[in-house]
């Protein structure tokens, strides 16, 4: 157990210099995922700044284990059986055990996936539960859901509003989205651009040379990068590529996941094996950015997708579904790529067919990605956590009563982004 120190509020009252923050970060495992990768990079930056950071692991394993920062302090509970099948329940138990034994100033909830873990901590530990800073990593409007499911999802958001403390928007447009869907005051939201890159990696990607016009001597090379998961709606992407691409164009899909078998079967059924390649999970995707001409995205929902930021830094125009309130800003309202409606295979196919007409990214467009670096974000996160740690903790029972009242008050109005109650087809 770490030696106890005066908490941030106590030191502030005494007029002392603030102590290093004691930060806990729950992470399921080292399986590939943008939320986890960004959290570990932030943790390294906070540790380098002198703070006491613990990564509370559900499983000390995963395909990205070798890429995990070696300077971090990892904490986990041993288990005689694999916990992968019930990783969320196991994560709750691990974080509960950790918070019961270790003094912690703030819990950093790295993405929406971990919100349920942090809500359960607040219910179990109550007053002893440290304040929670939540990074909103996905779209909250969720127009992809049928109306009934969307209603339930918005009820769940209101529980988070009552139980958790402060929320991070990953880009300016997300700030309004969080305020509207959670029904909170603006002071409970802080905007910190998604730290998808380090300064070093931005320099590497932005140094990739690019042709200034569509190549005449070969077909276009399209790239998709990410987990092969349902959220990404890759069947739609594959069908759009088949419908809109020219005979000499190719598509490379980088990533792995539960959907891979179905996707490979779809490519085989469409007789596209010679033009669609599955690269699998790779440690370093940058060579694929170097060889590609365009990035394709077909997600049903996202937060601020790191892959789009990486592509912009590498000089790739992005052709994507309008899967987030931040996408228009991210793509510079057309200067860095093209947006099509979510779930619209015909519109995505048409954009792929006209890709040769999309302007290439100049140096100014590529420099936009520099906004999304760990170095810029780490300091802002620390300031937000410092202000949370200085606040008095809730009295026992106050949160649960507030949660009940919150849920009873209903759900926020439907977003203007949800123009239809029909779920987009894959």
């Amino acid at each position: 157990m770490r030696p106890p120190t005066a908490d941030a509020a106590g030191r502030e009252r005494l007029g002392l210099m603030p102590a290093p923050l004691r930060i806990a970060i729950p992470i399921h495992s080292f399986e590939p995922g943008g939320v986890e990768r960004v959290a570990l990079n932030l943790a390294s930056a906070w540790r380098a700044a002198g703070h006491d950071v613990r990564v509370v692991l559900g499983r000390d394993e995963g395909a990205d284990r070798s890429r995990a920062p070696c300077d971090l302090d990892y904490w986990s509970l041993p288990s005689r059986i694999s916990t992968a099948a019930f990783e969320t329940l196991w994560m709750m138990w691990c974080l509960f055990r950790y918070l019961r034994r270790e003094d912690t100033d703030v819990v950093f909830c790295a993405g929406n996936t971990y919100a349920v873990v942090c809500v359960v901590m607040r219910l179990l530990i109550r007053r002893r539960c440290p304040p929670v800073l939540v990074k909103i990593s996905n779209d909250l409007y969720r127009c992809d859901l049928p109306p009934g499911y969307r209603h339930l999802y918005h009820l769940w958001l209101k529980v988070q509003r009552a139980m958790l403390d402060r929320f991070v928007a990953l880009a300016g447009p997300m700030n309004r989205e969080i305020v509207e869907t959670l029904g909170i005051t603006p002071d409970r939201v802080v905007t910190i651009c998604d730290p998808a890159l380090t300064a070093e990696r931005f320099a590497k990607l932005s140094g990739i040379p690019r042709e200034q016009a569509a190549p005449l001597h070969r077909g276009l090379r399209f790239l998709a990068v990410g987990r092969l998961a349902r959220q990404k709606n890759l069947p739609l992407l594959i069908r759009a590529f088949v419908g809109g691409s020219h005979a000499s164009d190719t598509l490379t899909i980088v990533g792995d996941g539960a959907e891979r078998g179905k996707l490979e079967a779809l490519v085989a059924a469409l007789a596209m094996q010679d033009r669609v390649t599955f690269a699998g999970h790779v440690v370093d995707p940058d060579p694929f950015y170097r060889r590609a001409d365009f990035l394709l995205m077909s997600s049903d929902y996202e937060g601020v997708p790191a892959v789009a930021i990486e592509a912009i830094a590498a000089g790739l125009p992005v052709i994507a579904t309008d899967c987030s309130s931040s996408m228009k800003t991210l793509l510079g309202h057309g200067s860095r790529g093209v947006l099509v409606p979510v779930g619209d295979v015909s519109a995505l196919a048409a954009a792929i067919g006209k890709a040769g007409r999309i302007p290439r990214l100049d140096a100014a467009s590529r420099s936009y990605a520099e906004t999304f670096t760990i170095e810029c974000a780490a300091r802002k996160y620390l300031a937000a956590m410092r202000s949370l740690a200085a606040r008095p903790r809730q009295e026992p029972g106050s949160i649960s009563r507030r949660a009940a009242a919150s849920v009873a008050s209903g759900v926020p109005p439907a977003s203007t982004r949800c123009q239809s109650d029909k779920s987009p087809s894959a």
Side-chain angles (χ1 to χ4, degrees):
M1 182 179 293
R2 289 172 288 182
T5 59
D7 63 22
R11 294 183 67 86
E12 188 174 275
R13 286 193 298 269
L14 295 171
L16 302 175
M17 288 293 291
L21 287 169
R22 296 163 299 190
I23 305 167
I25 309 173
I27 295 290
H28 285 308
S29 68
F30 296 110
E31 294 299 340
V35 163
E36 290 76 12
R37 183 173 63 252
V38 168
L40 293 176
N41 287 338
L42 282 170
S44 285
W46 297 334
R47 185 177 177 87
H51 297 276
D52 187 356
V53 183
R54 292 279 180 90
V55 178
V56 181
L57 283 172
R59 293 179 286 128
D60 190 1
E61 59 188 37
D64 276 348
R65 184 67 180 89
S66 62
R67 297 179 64 190
C70 57
D71 61 332
L72 290 177
D73 189 358
Y74 299 100
W75 188 96
S76 60
L77 288 174
S79 174
R80 295 181 180 180
I81 63 172
S82 172
T83 60
F86 51 94
E87 65 176 10
T88 299
L89 290 174
W90 183 250
M91 186 76 258
M92 291 173 184
W93 176 241
C94 292
L95 187 58
F96 173 76
R97 289 284 301 276
Y98 178 82
L99 294 177
R100 291 281 293 181
R101 61 179 287 179
E102 298 286 351
D103 291 317
T104 303
D105 293 317
V106 63
V107 174
F108 175 56
C109 180
N112 304 51
T113 306
Y114 296 95
V116 65
V117 175
C118 295
V119 165
V120 169
M121 292 307 102
R122 185 55 59 88
L123 289 170
L124 292 176
I125 308 175
R126 303 174 71 119
R127 188 178 184 183
R128 286 193 60 191
C129 184
V132 180
L133 179 68
V134 186
K135 188 182 80 169
I136 300 298
S137 58
N138 265 326
D139 174 77
L140 297 181
Y141 292 130
R142 293 301 304 272
C143 302
D144 61 297
L145 294 175
Y149 286 101
R150 194 185 313 147
H151 179 86
L152 292 175
Y153 180 69
H154 285 167
L155 284 176
W156 165 234
L157 292 180
K158 292 178 79 67
V159 172
Q160 294 181 46
R161 175 188 82 176
M163 304 291 278
L164 306 178
D165 298 278
R166 202 169 186 195
F167 302 86
V168 177
L170 301 184
M174 284 187 71
N175 195 301
R176 178 181 176 184
E177 175 183 344
I178 294 170
V179 169
E180 178 181 308
T181 55
L182 271 71
I184 58 178
T185 55
D187 62 291
R188 289 183 62 190
V189 185
V190 57
T191 300
I192 306 174
C193 287
D194 188 24
L197 304 169
T198 62
E200 180 181 5
R201 181 134 184 265
F202 169 76
K204 179 182 176 182
L205 289 171
S206 62
I208 296 175
R210 290 292 173 198
E211 297 170 301
Q212 293 305 304
L216 300 177
H217 59 284
R218 58 169 172 79
L220 296 176
R221 299 171 298 195
F222 294 92
L223 175 67
V225 180
R227 291 178 296 109
L228 306 189
R230 188 174 180 179
Q231 169 191 351
K232 308 300 181 180
N233 203 347
L234 288 167
L236 181 140
L237 185 147
I238 291 169
R239 292 190 177 98
F241 177 76
V242 171
S245 63
H246 301 281
S248 56
D249 296 342
T250 59
L251 168 64
T252 300
I253 299 174
V254 175
D256 213 338
E259 297 282 301
R260 180 164 179 171
K262 295 178 182 178
L263 297 172
E264 289 178 329
L266 175 61
V267 169
L270 296 170
M272 293 291 286
Q273 300 97 316
D274 59 332
R275 293 175 54 204
V276 179
T277 302
F278 290 86
H281 173 65
V282 299
V283 173
D284 180 12
D286 292 1
F288 292 92
Y289 288 121
R290 181 178 293 275
R291 293 192 293 267
D293 298 306
F294 296 90
L295 179 79
L296 298 182
M297 288 182 56
S298 53
S299 298
D300 289 334
Y301 60 93
E302 292 282 354
V304 176
V307 64
I309 297 166
E310 293 171 346
I312 291 167
L316 298 183
V318 178
I319 301 174
T321 51
D322 190 9
C323 53
S324 160
S325 61
S326 300
M327 289 301 292
K328 288 184 177 66
T329 300
L330 193 61
L331 299 193
H333 297 275
S335 65
R336 291 184 283 270
V338 174
L339 287 179
V340 302
V342 169
D344 192 331
V345 66
S346 298
L348 186 57
I352 291 171
K354 299 175 183 177
R357 306 178 193 175
I358 299 175
R360 297 305 187 260
L361 304 192
D362 56 20
S365 293
R366 296 172 73 168
S367 67
Y368 171 75
E370 193 171 9
T371 310
F372 299 87
T373 60
I374 292 288
E375 289 78 2
C376 289
R379 295 186 298 272
K380 295 179 181 179
Y381 272 103
L382 287 172
M385 288 190 285
R386 178 76 69 190
S387 67
L388 275 182
R391 289 169 44 188
R393 296 188 182 178
Q394 291 286 338
E395 289 296 323
S398 63
I399 294 174
S400 57
R401 288 194 299 270
R402 188 176 52 178
S406 175
V407 173
S409 67
V411 297
S415 162
T416 54
R417 289 186 65 235
C418 301
Q419 297 298 328
S420 172
D421 280 342
K422 295 181 180 179
S423 299
S425 57

